[in-house]
Amino acid sequence: MHTTTHTTGNLRHELFGAGLLPVDGDGEPCADQRTANWFRAVRTGFHEQPYTAPEVARLAASYQVDGRVLLGVYDDDAPAPSLDAAIPVATFAEFRKTLNTGAGNLVESHLITVVTVRPSHRRRGILRRMMTDSLERARAAGLPIAALTASEGTIYGRFGFGPATVLDSVRVDVKGGLPVQAPAEGQVVSVDPASLKELAPALFERFHATHRGSIGRQDAYTLRATGRVGPDAVKDDPTLRAAVHLDAAGEPQGFLTYAFAGWDTSPVTMKIRDLVAATGTARRELWRYLGAHDLVERIDYGAAAPDDPLPWSLDDPRRVTVTEREDLLWLRIIDVPAALRAREYAADGRLRLRVLDPLGYAEGTYELAVEGGVASVDVVDEAGTPADLELDIALLGSLYLGGTGVRTLVEAGRIQAASAEALARAERVLDLAGAPYAINGF
């Protein structure tokens, strides 16, 4: 992409794509200096050691596959002995992937990631400018929804983002095996992780198409599945193992990547890196396979659904312990009518919603009518009939995928319902069965 530059005071904001220098002969790929400086600022912002030049090059190539747009904010007037002015004082990135909004609807969405601001430049409005400019770009492109994953829970609500999905970290006791009650179906085979280059993305696309809340995957997940990126470094991971579930016809239905945590763990532990199943059977059989490893006493997994069926698969559900629950996907509705039309609904009905938006993008009163599971949305005169529900745009993001119920937010004092009847009607129309399930960070 072409570089776009604008200034705010003495700060320069520059949008650009990750860049790689031309490679001659047997030379190694190398990122351009601007890209290398941007990654250095990112690593500093997340309190990590700088990437090596080969790591930056591998990441830059992956970012190009995703079509990521990078933003660096530069202080050209920083006093000596500040860091080189070519190293950004703030970073930001955006790209597009689809969001499964239910009933098989995949909606192109605006993803925001890698947000950092140097401590010396806090409280100068940098984050607000980066975020509002990004949301403006999304709106101009006609994208109805923005999404991010939040490292802190108090930052993004003011920009209209609300937590929409959660994940459980679980520990599974596999001492003596993992007694799955259902008979085995198909078979699970060990594979070289490198063989997953085409299969892993294809199986994820099948998962993505059938799971409300799923967000499209970036190229880094293929690199991880194939062992080209490890958990702690952007280099080949020789510890990675992989397996694939084949159905009775020999067709792949799911894959698993995992690694041994070491003999010094107590109990002896295997860690799941990724588990993608296109069917419930494949998921169950991959767990059965994990439980068949000799000498291993525990399996750790950090991306279980809140309503994961695994405990019900076992002779003793107490073998599964939830150790942590945390939000993953945060949503920001930019275009309320377009987003509501794209959503899944469990029942027909009508609702009038009064939406408050501190940034002004989605402020208004909307008449939602669902008939035959299909929604129509009209913008209505605010002086007309009072709204059934009044809510902040961030809470609409939390309700959107059905991960939170209407009554929960009303009883929390976060949403105002006009009457008990309006609340009951809103529950019928907006609440959805089952938890949304997103397994990707970004």
Side-chain angles (χ1 to χ4, degrees):
M1 64 169 290
H2 296 296
T3 298
T4 302
T5 303
H6 61 269
T7 59
T8 304
N10 64 336
L11 299 177
R12 175 169 51 89
H13 293 234
E14 194 166 290
L15 282 169
F16 57 94
L20 289 170
L21 298 175
V23 177
D24 296 324
D26 297 327
E28 292 293 324
C30 183
D32 63 34
Q33 193 59 54
R34 179 172 58 179
T35 302
N37 287 339
W38 186 88
F39 276 110
R40 178 175 171 181
V42 168
R43 294 293 279 180
T44 299
F46 287 105
H47 314 300
E48 303 282 359
Q49 291 296 316
Y51 289 125
T52 65
E55 287 177 324
V56 171
R58 191 171 292 188
L59 281 174
S62 182
Y63 275 30
Q64 288 181 348
V65 173
D66 293 332
R68 295 195 192 208
V69 178
L70 312 185
L71 170 65
V73 179
Y74 302 87
D75 186 351
D76 295 326
D77 297 328
S82 298
L83 288 173
D84 187 337
I87 300 172
V89 300
T91 65
F92 195 98
E94 59 194 45
F95 61 114
R96 298 178 186 180
K97 292 292 180 182
T98 55
L99 171 69
N100 186 324
T101 60
N105 298 320
L106 300 180
V107 177
E108 188 173 37
S109 300
H110 184 76
L111 275 56
I112 293 168
T113 185
V114 201
V115 181
T116 73
V117 179
R118 195 181 295 174
S120 57
H121 287 70
R122 298 273 167 83
R123 305 193 186 284
R124 298 193 190 183
I126 294 175
L127 175 58
R128 176 167 291 273
R129 179 62 188 270
M130 292 192 300
M131 184 64 72
T132 54
D133 283 355
S134 184
L135 293 175
E136 286 286 0
R137 287 189 290 272
R139 184 165 69 161
L143 302 177
I145 302 169
L148 54 77
T149 57
S151 55
E152 297 180 54
T154 58
I155 295 176
Y156 296 105
R158 67 179 185 257
F159 300 112
F161 288 86
T165 73
V166 298
L167 285 179
D168 284 349
S169 294
V170 298
R171 287 180 171 174
V172 183
D173 177 4
V174 295
K175 287 193 287 284
L178 192 63
V180 176
Q181 296 289 78
E185 297 185 52
Q187 62 176 323
V188 177
V189 295
S190 299
V191 300
D192 185 336
S195 71
L196 296 176
K197 184 176 181 180
E198 305 295 336
L199 183 58
L203 284 170
F204 175 79
E205 287 305 315
R206 292 177 56 195
F207 168 91
H208 181 47
T210 55
H211 286 76
R212 184 178 79 251
S214 175
I215 196 86
R217 281 195 156 176
Q218 63 269 38
D219 181 64
Y221 275 92
T222 301
L223 297 180
R224 293 171 191 164
T226 55
R228 294 279 288 155
V229 169
D232 302 314
V234 186
K235 59 183 180 182
D236 292 355
D237 180 11
T239 70
L240 192 69
R241 306 183 191 181
V244 172
H245 173 257
L246 306 174
D247 64 15
E251 293 297 321
Q253 300 296 336
F255 79 90
L256 167 74
T257 59
Y258 61 105
F260 183 52
W263 291 112
D264 56 346
T265 56
S266 181
V268 179
T269 300
M270 197 81 79
K271 293 187 176 183
I272 296 176
R273 298 274 179 80
D274 201 10
L275 197 167
V276 177
T279 67
T281 297
R283 187 176 186 83
R284 186 177 69 242
E285 296 306 318
L286 288 168
W287 271 108
R288 192 195 307 268
Y289 168 85
L290 282 166
H293 284 71
D294 287 339
L295 306 178
V296 175
E297 300 172 309
R298 187 174 76 195
I299 306 293
D300 284 353
Y301 180 45
D307 54 359
D308 195 311
L310 177 63
W312 295 98
S313 302
L314 307 178
D315 65 339
D316 180 3
R318 293 186 181 183
R319 283 178 172 268
V320 182
T321 301
V322 177
T323 59
E324 184 178 14
R325 173 166 289 181
E326 60 182 350
D327 56 74
L328 179 69
L329 199 63
W330 290 56
L331 297 185
R332 206 292 180 197
I333 308 301
I334 301 170
D335 183 334
V336 172
L340 291 179
R341 286 194 294 267
R343 185 185 188 270
E344 177 183 3
Y345 296 90
D348 291 353
R350 300 184 73 90
L351 280 176
R352 180 165 289 196
L353 306 174
R354 170 75 178 120
V355 178
L356 308 176
D357 185 350
L359 298 185
Y361 300 125
E363 184 93 14
T365 302
Y366 304 90
E367 187 81 25
L368 168 66
V370 182
E371 185 174 349
V374 178
S376 61
V377 184
D378 293 318
V379 181
V380 299
D381 183 357
E382 295 179 18
T385 305
D388 297 308
L389 292 182
E390 182 174 302
L391 70 165
D392 184 82
I393 188 64
L395 297 176
L396 184 59
S398 293
L399 288 172
Y400 186 71
L401 295 172
T404 302
V406 175
R407 185 173 296 273
T408 297
L409 294 178
V410 169
E411 293 184 354
R414 302 294 304 283
I415 289 179
Q416 304 301 315
S419 65
E421 185 279 331
L423 171 57
R425 186 156 33 89
E427 287 183 285
R428 287 196 302 273
V429 174
L430 295 178
D431 286 356
L432 293 170
Y437 189 29
I439 59 175
N440 309 342
F442 54 87

